[in-house]
């Protein structure tokens, strides 16, 4: 699964022209507005663009939107040469979630990490106009203590009217809000200290804030002839009233948010399985070593770790014996030698770091043997702690590779089925695909089948930071073996989203959605209980229905379609697609059919549904196609270093109210007046 650490919400809009004509002679973007409304961490984002063609000849323009792979388009309307066309959803004939990155038509923005691209080309008549309205929705995932909404802007020209507005309204007080100026992932921010922060924060109430960004044409010109280019990043978090489990809803649907960040961290046993094959040589290996220095330093004294390195041979590092072949593990264990299960003391960590600094290797890629070695270590360690009468730390495997299996077993389906069957202790296996050659489809299936997550690590100057960021997202477990148990007389159990989770990590959030069986459930009624295991033992949280939250006023106004129902549908579809990626044959097809039914019912353009625009004598099928970051630039090769972006940050800590810019009107509809 393409992963967005903090869960990023990304939009990029670009304009392209065919032929050698200058932009001023062909279609020109006159207005670009984005409005993103967030309630209950669910973002509904509307993108509006207006183009005019001042030329005496027809010209082609491209409307391009780049969005995260878990954001779904819900509406698309365009007006072309005076006629309005509205998109509708249709079931896809073929499931294409696993389309290889980089095969989409059109150009790909350099900052299009973990994303999909929506594009449509229109031919604008001489002196004509065209407008586009696109809406997409996404549940923002809490990552490292914040929800992140990132809007990327790449108009490729100076735009007369440009604005971004992010409106946040939550049932709990907003405890932190910040906005950073445009930046491009994987690059160093501008060093210029005289740039003015254009992002503005307006405090409406403790639970309602608004961020606006509206550069004038003159401010755009200060960035270069093509104006602004980069990502506008908005991060926020909410106050967690006791208890750590919050339940909101209406008389049909409900959502549980679970984030007990104040609990004591569980001790863990983390196994690092690291690819040292020939393709990892030089730069990748150096970035991996740099990241591992920091990761090892972040381990707690109560944690344990092991290091497995592999190419066509698999080796294990031992505190007492140094490096040895993996097939010696059991022999050493039988002799009482478990020096490869290392407690994270400062001295031991320093020795491990020195080993990684000095170690180098090359060869093929024996993935199945390295993973089996990891599972063998989990079993040996568990037996060791049982014999010693101590509580076993929570086992976690982190597996990193940059290529395809080519030793012992090359069939990825065989590897997944074998490792899943052998993982009898249901240890979480998290996978990292380093670079363009990593098979993320395989790694995703492996992780989803083994209680883990998959992350693509991009080959860029910030690769070490990407690795560190991933570790921080899984490295602080606070609760394990989490189960939401609902009362069947009040809750429709069959409609629940996933209710069992291997662990909760600090700074994240567990979301469970469901449907009430009774039409009227009183406020604070107990509809179930959450069970789990913390550092102090078993924990139990009552699941109390609390539709209004803790604010001393009315609840968030209801919409024509409930936010809770939208969130339930969104999460259900995503989980069905995840489940389908672990299945084969008829079982996979039945799961995809369920996802398709929900996608069409709730008008989501997903990997199993498409946006279709019907025009005279033409039917256009529009899909958001997975893309590969860094392949192209909207500026046709203009280096990102030539358009530096400010990196100042406006932090909402102490509340002086900063007034919003002038643009506050709603996005125009496709049928509204278009003044060129």
């Amino acid at each position: 699964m393409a992963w967005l650490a903090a869960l990023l919400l990304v939009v990029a809009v670009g304009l392209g022209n065919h032929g050698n004509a200058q932009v001023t002679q062909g279609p020109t973007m006159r207005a670009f507005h984005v409005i993103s409304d967030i309630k209950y961490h669910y973002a509904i984002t509307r993108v509006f663009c207006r183009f005019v063609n001042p030329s005496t000849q027809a010209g082609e323009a491209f409307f391009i939107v780049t969005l995260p792979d878990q954001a779904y388009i819900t509406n698309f309307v365009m007006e072309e040469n005076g006629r309005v066309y509205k998109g509708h959803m249709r079931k896809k004939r073929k499931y294409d979630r696993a389309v290889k990155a980089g095969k989409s038509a059109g150009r790909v923005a350099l900052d299009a990490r973990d994303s999909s691209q929506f594009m449509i080309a229109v031919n604008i008549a001489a002196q004509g106009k065209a407008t586009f309205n696109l809406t997409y929705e996404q549940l923002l995932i809490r990552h490292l203590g914040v929800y992140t909404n990132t809007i990327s802007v790449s108009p490729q020209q100076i735009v007369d009217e440009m604005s971004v507005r992010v409106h946040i309204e939550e049932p709990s007080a907003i405890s932190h809000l910040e906005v950073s100026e445009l930046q491009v992932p994987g690059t160093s921010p501008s060093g210029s200290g005289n740039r003015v922060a254009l992002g503005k924060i307006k405090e409406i109430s403790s639970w309602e804030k608004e961020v606006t960004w509206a550069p004038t044409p003159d401010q755009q010109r200060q960035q270069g002839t093509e104006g602004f280019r980069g990502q506008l990043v908005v991060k926020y978090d909410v106050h967690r009233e006791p208890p750590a489990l919050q339940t909101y809803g209406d008389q049909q649907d409900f959502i549980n948010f679970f984030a007990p960040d104040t609990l004591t961290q569980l001790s863990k046993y983390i196994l690092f399985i690291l690819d040292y094959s020939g393709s990892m040589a030089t730069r990748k290996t150096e970035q991996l070593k740099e990241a591992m220095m920091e990761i090892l330093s972040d381990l707690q004294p109560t944690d344990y770790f092991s290091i497995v390195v592999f190419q066509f041979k698999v080796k294990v590092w031992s505190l007492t014996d140094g490096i040895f072949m993996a097939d010696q593990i059991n022999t050493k264990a039988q002799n009482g030698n478990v020096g490869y299960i290392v407690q994270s003391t400062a001295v031991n960590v320093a020795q491990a770091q020195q080993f990684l600094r000095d170690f180098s290797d090359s060869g093929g890629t024996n993935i199945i043997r390295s993973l089996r070695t990891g599972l063998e270590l989990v079993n040996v360690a568990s037996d060791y702690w049982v014999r010693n009468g101590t509580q076993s730390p929570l086992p976690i495997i982190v597996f990193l590779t940059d290529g395809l299996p080519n030793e012992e077993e090359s069939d990825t389906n065989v590897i997944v089925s074998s490792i899943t069957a052998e993982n009898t202790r249901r240890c979480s296996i998290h996978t990292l695909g380093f670079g363009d050659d990593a098979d993320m489809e395989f790694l995703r299936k492996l992780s989803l089948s083994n209680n883990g997550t998959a992350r693509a690590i991009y080959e860029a100057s910030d690769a070490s930071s990407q690795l560190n960021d991933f570790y921080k997202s899984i490295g602080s477990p606070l609760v394990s073996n989490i189960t939401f148990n609902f009362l069947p007389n009040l809750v429709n159990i069959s409609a629940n989203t996933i209710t069992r989770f291997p662990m909760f990590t600090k700074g994240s959030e567990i979301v469970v959605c469901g449907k009430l069986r009774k039409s009227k459930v009183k406020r604070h009624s107990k509809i179930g209980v959450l069970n789990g295991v913390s550092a102090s033992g078993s924990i139990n949280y009552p699941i109390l229905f609390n539709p209004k939250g803790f604010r001393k006023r009315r609840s968030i106004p209801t919409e024509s379609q409930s936010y809770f129902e939208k969130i339930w549908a969104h999460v259900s579809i995503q989980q069905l697609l995840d489940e389908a990626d672990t299945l084969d044959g008829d079982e996979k097809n039945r799961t995809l059919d369920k996802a398709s039914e929900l996608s069409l019912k709730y008008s989501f353009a997903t990997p199993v549904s498409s946006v279709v625009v019907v025009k005279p004598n033409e039917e256009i099928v529009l899909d958001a196609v997975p893309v590969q970051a860094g392949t192209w630039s909207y500026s046709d090769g203009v280096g990102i270093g030539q358009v530096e972006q400010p990196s100042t940050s406006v932090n909402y800590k102490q509340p002086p109210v900063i007034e919003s810019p002038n643009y506050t009107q709603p996005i125009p509809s496709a049928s509204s007046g278009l003044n060129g």
Side-chain angles (χ1 to χ4, degrees):
M1 176 178 58
W3 185 89
L4 204 55
L7 204 20
L8 300 181
L9 187 60
V10 180
V11 180
V13 178
L15 171 67
N17 294 278
H18 287 311
N20 298 318
Q22 298 297 314
V23 172
T24 54
Q25 296 175 334
T28 302
M29 185 187 298
R30 289 292 176 86
F32 166 63
H33 299 298
V34 178
I35 294 179
S36 188
D37 288 306
I38 303 172
K39 298 178 182 179
Y40 301 102
H41 327 327
Y42 190 76
I44 300 178
T45 301
R46 299 184 295 280
V47 182
F48 169 80
C49 270
R50 180 171 70 244
F51 296 90
V52 299
N53 182 12
S55 173
T56 56
Q57 297 180 346
E60 190 171 37
F62 296 91
F63 175 64
I64 302 172
V65 178
T66 302
L67 60 158
D69 65 343
Q70 291 190 23
Y72 300 144
I73 295 169
T74 56
N75 190 43
F76 175 69
V77 179
M78 71 177 184
E79 181 173 346
E80 175 189 355
N81 300 323
R83 300 193 65 173
V84 176
Y85 303 97
K86 180 176 174 60
H88 63 275
M89 301 300 166
R90 177 186 296 175
K91 182 178 180 179
K92 286 183 182 177
R93 294 187 179 92
K94 184 178 180 180
Y95 176 60
D96 63 357
R97 181 187 180 94
V99 171
K100 296 298 183 182
K103 290 189 177 180
S104 62
R107 300 180 178 90
V108 179
L110 289 173
D111 50 9
R113 289 180 173 177
D114 306 310
S115 60
S116 298
Q117 184 184 84
F118 173 96
M119 184 185 77
I120 185 170
V122 296
N123 192 56
I124 304 177
Q127 306 295 316
K129 305 170 185 178
T131 64
F132 300 90
N133 284 273
L134 183 139
T135 302
Y136 65 90
E137 304 181 10
Q138 182 191 23
L139 179 65
L140 302 180
I141 307 301
R142 189 169 183 255
H143 174 69
L144 301 181
V146 292
Y147 305 94
T148 302
N149 186 15
T150 302
I151 297 173
S152 296
V153 181
S154 183
Q156 199 190 334
Q157 61 187 268
I158 306 302
V159 182
D160 292 343
E161 300 176 27
M162 176 183 286
S163 70
V164 177
R165 176 162 65 87
V166 180
H167 182 265
I168 307 169
E169 185 178 9
E170 292 287 358
S172 300
I174 297 171
S175 60
H176 172 79
L177 173 61
E178 65 177 278
V179 53
S180 299
E181 292 301 320
L182 295 192
Q183 52 193 255
V184 177
T187 65
S188 300
S190 169
S192 178
N194 61 354
R195 299 187 185 277
V196 178
L198 299 176
K200 309 291 184 180
I201 295 176
K202 179 180 180 180
E203 180 185 13
I204 300 171
S205 67
S206 62
W207 51 80
E208 187 174 1
K209 318 288 181 187
E210 186 169 276
V211 173
T212 52
W213 181 83
T216 65
D218 286 341
Q219 289 169 329
Q220 296 172 50
R221 290 188 185 93
Q222 292 174 12
Q223 309 304 311
T225 57
E226 295 183 347
F228 280 96
R229 181 178 180 280
Q231 295 182 337
L232 184 73
V233 181
V234 176
K235 297 181 179 181
Y236 79 97
D237 198 19
V238 297
H239 179 66
R240 307 279 164 180
E241 299 92 346
L245 173 64
Q246 303 296 329
T247 303
Y248 307 108
D250 52 26
Q251 291 305 314
Q252 178 179 345
D253 302 270
F254 64 87
I255 316 169
N256 298 287
F257 297 113
F258 182 56
D261 277 351
T262 59
L263 295 179
T264 302
Q265 184 171 317
L266 293 166
S267 63
K268 62 181 179 291
Y269 172 40
I270 187 163
L271 297 95
F272 300 102
I273 305 177
L274 309 176
D275 186 343
Y276 268 77
S277 60
S279 58
M280 281 287 294
T282 61
R283 188 187 186 201
K284 289 181 187 175
T285 299
E286 291 305 313
Q287 290 176 318
L288 172 60
K289 289 181 178 182
E290 180 183 344
M292 286 301 298
M293 298 303 108
E294 184 173 340
I295 289 171
L296 289 171
S297 296
D298 285 344
L299 294 174
Q300 301 296 309
T302 56
D303 292 336
Y304 292 80
F305 68 94
S306 290
I307 298 175
V308 178
V309 292
F310 72 96
Q311 22 95 4
F312 70 93
K313 295 180 180 179
V314 182
K315 303 172 185 178
V316 181
W317 177 73
S318 169
L319 191 64
T320 55
D321 302 330
I323 195 80
F324 66 90
M325 300 301 295
D327 57 10
Q328 301 177 34
I329 291 174
N330 276 325
T331 301
K332 290 180 179 292
Q334 291 169 4
N335 295 328
N337 182 351
V338 290
Y340 42 82
I341 303 171
V342 185
Q343 187 169 3
S344 304
T345 65
V347 173
N348 294 347
V349 165
Q351 290 192 45
Q353 290 172 326
Q354 190 60 50
F355 158 70
L356 288 173
R357 288 191 193 97
D358 298 339
F359 184 75
S360 62
D361 213 343
S362 65
T365 309
N366 194 336
I367 286 180
I368 193 167
R369 179 58 53 190
S370 66
L371 289 167
R372 281 175 168 156
T373 298
L375 294 178
E376 186 177 5
L377 287 170
V378 169
N379 292 332
V380 168
S382 180
D383 292 342
Y384 168 76
W385 282 306
V386 169
R387 287 196 305 271
N388 286 274
T390 57
Q391 180 68 37
S392 296
L394 182 68
I396 302 171
I397 289 177
V398 175
F399 173 80
L400 179 145
T401 185
D402 75 331
L404 302 173
N406 55 24
E407 295 285 343
E408 188 170 342
E409 180 58 70
S410 59
D411 189 322
T412 56
N413 288 325
V414 171
I415 294 175
V416 171
S417 60
S418 299
I419 294 302
T420 303
E422 295 169 26
N423 187 8
T424 55
R425 298 184 188 272
R426 303 309 300 153
C427 172
S428 294
I429 300 179
H430 302 280
T431 59
L432 298 166
F434 200 158
D436 297 339
D437 294 330
D439 187 345
M440 290 308 301
E441 182 181 351
F442 154 58
L443 296 178
R444 173 180 166 79
K445 186 173 183 179
L446 176 65
S447 287
L448 287 174
S449 300
N450 290 276
N451 299 320
T453 55
R455 169 84 70 87
I457 302 298
Y458 296 92
E459 290 186 63
S461 60
D462 69 334
S464 294
S465 297
Q466 295 176 57
L467 291 167
N468 281 314
D469 182 79
F470 176 81
Y471 170 74
K472 290 176 181 178
S473 70
I474 57 101
S476 300
L478 303 183
V479 187
S480 64
N481 300 321
I482 301 161
T483 303
F484 288 73
N485 297 295
F486 292 98
L487 299 177
N489 62 315
L490 296 178
V491 174
N492 182 358
I493 304 299
S494 64
N496 287 339
T497 58
I498 292 174
T499 57
R500 294 178 181 272
F501 303 86
M503 66 178 180
F504 165 81
T505 57
K506 186 174 183 178
S508 66
E509 183 176 65
I510 289 176
V511 179
V512 175
C513 307
K515 291 185 173 292
L516 297 172
R517 190 176 292 279
K518 290 190 174 183
S519 60
K520 291 185 179 181
V521 176
K522 294 181 179 179
R523 188 180 184 189
H524 298 309
S525 294
K526 181 178 178 180
I527 61 174
V529 63
L530 181 153
N531 304 115
V533 179
S534 70
S536 58
S538 297
I539 58 172
N540 300 281
Y541 290 93
I543 304 174
L544 303 177
F545 184 64
N546 185 25
K548 295 186 178 181
F550 291 86
R551 301 179 302 172
K552 296 180 180 179
R553 71 175 186 104
R554 62 185 177 87
S555 60
I556 292 176
T558 58
E559 304 287 332
S560 57
Q561 185 179 58
S562 165
Y563 261 73
F564 307 110
E565 187 176 7
K566 288 182 179 181
I567 297 172
W568 172 85
H570 194 287
V571 173
S572 296
I573 292 168
Q574 185 61 48
Q575 291 181 355
L576 285 169
L577 294 174
D578 288 347
E579 181 184 356
D581 282 347
T582 69
L583 303 173
D584 298 295
D586 291 341
E587 195 173 6
K588 181 186 185 81
N589 291 332
R590 285 193 295 270
T591 304
L592 291 175
D593 285 342
K594 292 179 182 178
S596 179
E597 290 173 8
L598 284 178
S599 298
L600 297 178
K601 179 178 179 180
Y602 290 95
S603 295
F604 286 132
T606 71
V608 289
S609 58
S610 299
V611 180
V612 178
V613 177
V614 178
K615 300 173 66 177
N617 304 316
E618 184 181 13
E619 185 177 89
I620 306 172
V621 179
L622 303 168
D623 291 322
V625 181
V627 297
Q628 180 177 357
T631 304
W632 293 87
S633 165
Y634 283 128
S635 55
D636 286 323
V638 176
I640 51 179
Q642 296 183 26
V643 185
E644 293 185 340
Q645 304 299 344
S647 57
T648 37
S649 175
V650 179
N651 233 324
Y652 180 79
K653 291 287 191 179
Q654 304 167 347
V657 177
I658 306 175
E659 294 300 331
S660 61
N662 295 329
Y663 179 78
T664 57
Q665 67 267 32
I667 289 178
S669 65
S671 58
S672 64
L674 303 175
N675 297 317

